[in-house]
Amino acid sequence: MKSLLGKLDARVAVELHGFKPGRTLLYFQSSALSQDRQLYEQGNISVKKIVDELLILADKALRYGPWSVMDKPDHSIAASGDKHDYFHLSPYYWPPSKEAAKNPTSVWKRRDGKRYPGTNMHEPGSNNFDRTRLSDMQYNTTILSLAYFMTGKEEYAQVAARNIRTWFLAPESRMNPHMNYAQVVNGKNSNLGQSFGIIETKDFYFFLDAVHLIEEGNVFLNKTESSNLRSWFREYLNWLETSTLGKQEYTTNNNHGLFYDIQATSIASFTNDTAKMIRYIESSTSRMSSQIANNGAMIEELRRPTCEHYQMFTLQGWSTLARIARSVNRDLWLRNNRLLCNATRFTIPFLKKRNICKSKVNQSDVNVERWLPLLLDAEYQCPELRKQNIWPEWFPTLDQVQPPLIAYDMPIMFNTHDGVAPFWNLGLDRANYTLSSFTKTVPHKEK
């Protein structure tokens, strides 16, 4: 019965809502992205500004890559001994002593909120592991694909296709389709990874949109390559669903379980399994009610030392999944008595004058602009939150300055740890999002 209902759901998505299995963009809305391109060609000032920034980065991206799991040094590979296996240490585990750091059997200890050197992307030592390489490949490829879509310049698509072939397809450089050695805790579980490591592939959702943008016409990726790429992701999704680590991650009741749903949903769509895609979206409704209290608090995220980051990160994850779900006419903002709007009210300090969440870790360096994409959702999705007229003193950089009101004028990218896609403000299904309902001029403070 479930199989039959899934097929019916998939048929409705295709026949009534125009969903194209394996081809529809999920995050960057196709019609809105085309409208952005048209506005750019017409010289629209706001769109031209953001696309000009895109092209500057795309021209730089032409000079980098390709990337491969084979690029890590020989002294830093997984316990399997296979360099094709993705490898990364768990960021919050440390050796008990300097001597123990060199011993593969020593058991490392957890220090939540404090990252081990090299596990933060792009910092010294990060080249010993694969996470920075994976992130760079995905970001650069996405920027190149968007630039190709906006301009038609083939060099962008050619380099993007080269990146894809190198990471996923070429026998000498491809990554094995699993995450068995992600976030390894030295000295535990035979130096296998943890389920938490699966979050390091959380950005597949926007990367797969980038693949779609250069697949049209099978010019840059031929039919065989596109088929083999889907085989890779089909095998990876099977690993997610059947491995011990994947099963553990799916049942995690915090941001990890949510980001599992995001990547599983995106991969199911990419591999032409619309019924499975919809099933993950529907099951996320239950996850939502278990993660978010009726008052909107995300209890598990509030327990983290860097709780401000994790509240933003997790709410952004729900925003991303809701944006994806719209492609098959599912509106997560309406589910569970509008629970996501409750989370928005509780979490975003703009909407509720609150103090920084309690923590022993200094959180004064929070990037307050990080809230802007979420405020746009609140503006459009949660009409009951409009006209709050609050600029609390919690935001020292915004209490005297009017923030940008239009999505095009907001930052194009944030820290890769923040969970926001690059150029998130292109391809919005409501490109004229504004923050006019939330703004209020705050009197300049006496000095």
Side-chain angles (χ1 to χ4, degrees):
M1 180 61 73
K2 287 184 179 181
S3 176
L4 177 60
L5 290 175
K7 290 179 181 179
L8 289 174
D9 282 338
R11 183 175 176 181
V12 168
V14 172
E15 296 181 2
L16 295 184
H17 306 300
F19 187 80
K20 298 177 182 179
R23 294 294 173 182
T24 294
L25 300 185
L26 299 185
Y27 186 78
F28 298 104
Q29 304 295 320
S30 296
S31 59
L33 204 56
S34 296
Q35 184 181 24
D36 287 338
R37 180 173 59 189
Q38 184 178 11
L39 290 171
Y40 171 66
E41 293 169 348
Q42 293 171 350
N44 179 280
I45 295 175
S46 293
V47 180
K48 186 177 185 304
K49 177 184 175 183
I50 193 172
V51 174
D52 284 348
E53 290 184 272
L54 169 67
L55 299 183
I56 289 171
L57 291 177
D59 287 338
K60 291 180 179 179
L62 292 172
R63 304 196 298 266
Y64 293 94
W67 295 265
S68 166
V69 289
M70 302 298 287
D71 295 338
K72 57 183 171 283
D74 291 338
H75 66 77
S76 183
I77 60 176
S80 64
D82 188 346
K83 215 171 182 181
H84 289 274
D85 287 340
Y86 181 98
F87 175 63
H88 189 220
L89 289 178
S90 182
Y92 300 124
Y93 281 81
W94 290 69
S97 66
K98 290 183 179 180
E99 293 74 21
K102 302 176 183 179
N103 183 356
T105 62
S106 68
V107 179
W108 292 20
K109 305 296 182 182
R110 183 175 176 85
R111 299 183 191 174
D112 197 7
K114 187 175 182 181
R115 287 181 171 270
Y116 184 72
T119 61
N120 213 354
M121 285 187 282
H122 302 107
E123 71 178 3
S126 61
N127 63 320
N128 288 324
F129 314 114
D130 290 317
R131 189 180 187 190
T132 296
R133 274 182 284 276
L134 174 61
S135 177
D136 286 350
M137 185 277 296
Q138 291 179 116
Y139 270 73
N140 279 36
T141 302
T142 300
I143 287 169
L144 288 166
S145 295
L146 286 170
Y148 166 69
F149 181 85
M150 288 295 172
T151 67
K153 184 177 178 180
E154 292 189 354
E155 186 180 8
Y156 294 141
Q158 290 165 350
V159 175
R162 178 208 64 185
N163 294 343
I164 294 166
R165 288 190 196 96
T166 303
W167 191 275
F168 295 101
L169 301 177
E172 68 275 11
S173 59
R174 73 192 292 268
M175 169 186 163
N176 289 332
H178 63 74
M179 294 289 279
N180 282 328
Y181 300 96
Q183 296 205 13
V184 169
V185 177
N186 200 78
K188 289 189 176 182
N189 195 27
S190 301
N191 284 357
L192 285 169
Q194 300 181 96
S195 62
F196 301 135
I198 292 171
I199 203 168
E200 296 183 9
T201 50
K202 65 179 174 57
D203 292 332
F204 276 156
Y205 71 94
F206 67 73
F207 169 76
L208 293 178
D209 272 5
V211 174
H212 285 314
L213 289 175
I214 66 166
E215 275 191 318
E216 293 298 324
N218 299 115
V219 175
F220 307 106
L221 290 173
N222 62 41
K223 290 183 179 180
T224 299
E225 289 172 328
S226 288
S227 176
N228 289 344
L229 186 61
R230 282 167 174 76
S231 294
W232 191 99
F233 275 98
R234 197 172 288 113
E235 190 173 346
Y236 176 74
L237 182 57
N238 179 67
W239 178 84
L240 275 181
E241 295 178 325
T242 61
S243 68
T244 299
L245 296 181
K247 291 176 181 178
Q248 289 173 346
E249 187 76 343
Y250 177 69
T251 58
T252 303
N253 195 33
N254 61 8
N255 65 83
H256 283 265
L258 167 62
F259 281 97
Y260 177 105
D261 287 348
I262 291 171
Q263 61 175 294
T265 297
S266 304
I267 296 170
S269 172
F270 185 74
T271 55
N272 307 316
D273 196 338
T274 308
K276 179 176 287 187
M277 172 201 180
I278 293 173
R279 188 164 71 246
Y280 273 113
I281 291 172
E282 291 296 337
S283 67
S284 71
T285 302
S286 298
R287 187 185 300 281
M288 185 192 301
S289 60
S290 66
Q291 283 191 357
I292 305 172
N294 289 335
N295 69 346
M298 292 178 284
I299 305 301
E300 293 298 320
E301 313 311 329
L302 286 169
R303 291 172 175 160
R304 301 298 297 270
T306 52
C307 45
E308 285 300 330
H309 161 72
Y310 278 103
Q311 286 185 93
M312 289 187 281
F313 179 62
T314 305
L315 187 57
Q316 185 64 54
W318 281 112
S319 170
T320 295
L321 187 57
R323 187 165 165 173
I324 290 170
R326 290 177 67 86
S327 65
V328 287
N329 200 42
R330 264 57 177 185
D331 192 344
L332 296 185
W333 289 93
L334 297 178
R335 301 293 177 92
N336 297 336
N337 294 317
R338 302 182 65 78
L339 193 56
L340 289 186
C341 287
N342 292 350
T344 299
R345 176 186 290 276
F346 181 93
T347 301
I348 301 179
F350 286 106
L351 304 183
K352 179 181 179 182
K353 194 167 184 177
R354 65 169 174 83
N355 296 321
I356 297 176
C357 59
K358 295 180 180 180
S359 172
K360 296 179 180 179
V361 176
N362 183 3
Q363 299 186 86
S364 61
D365 61 345
V366 171
N367 175 14
V368 296
E369 288 188 324
R370 174 63 190 78
W371 292 107
L372 294 176
L374 296 169
L375 271 175
L376 287 174
D377 280 326
E379 171 79 18
Y380 180 69
Q381 305 291 352
C382 307
E384 66 272 26
L385 303 183
R386 291 178 183 167
K387 298 183 179 178
Q388 297 290 313
N389 293 326
I390 297 174
W391 288 117
E393 294 181 359
W394 193 82
F395 295 94
T397 62
L398 291 183
D399 62 356
Q400 300 172 13
V401 180
Q402 186 71 54
L405 302 183
I406 302 173
Y408 292 130
D409 296 332
M410 295 177 185
I412 54 176
M413 289 196 293
F414 295 90
N415 189 292
T416 50
H417 291 295
D418 288 336
V420 186
F423 290 90
W424 62 275
N425 37 3
L426 285 175
L428 286 169
D429 57 356
R430 290 293 184 276
N432 60 340
Y433 271 5
T434 67
L435 292 180
S436 57
S437 295
F438 288 97
T439 59
K440 179 181 179 181
T441 302
V442 176
H444 195 82
K445 290 182 177 181
E446 295 286 339
K447 291 188 177 181

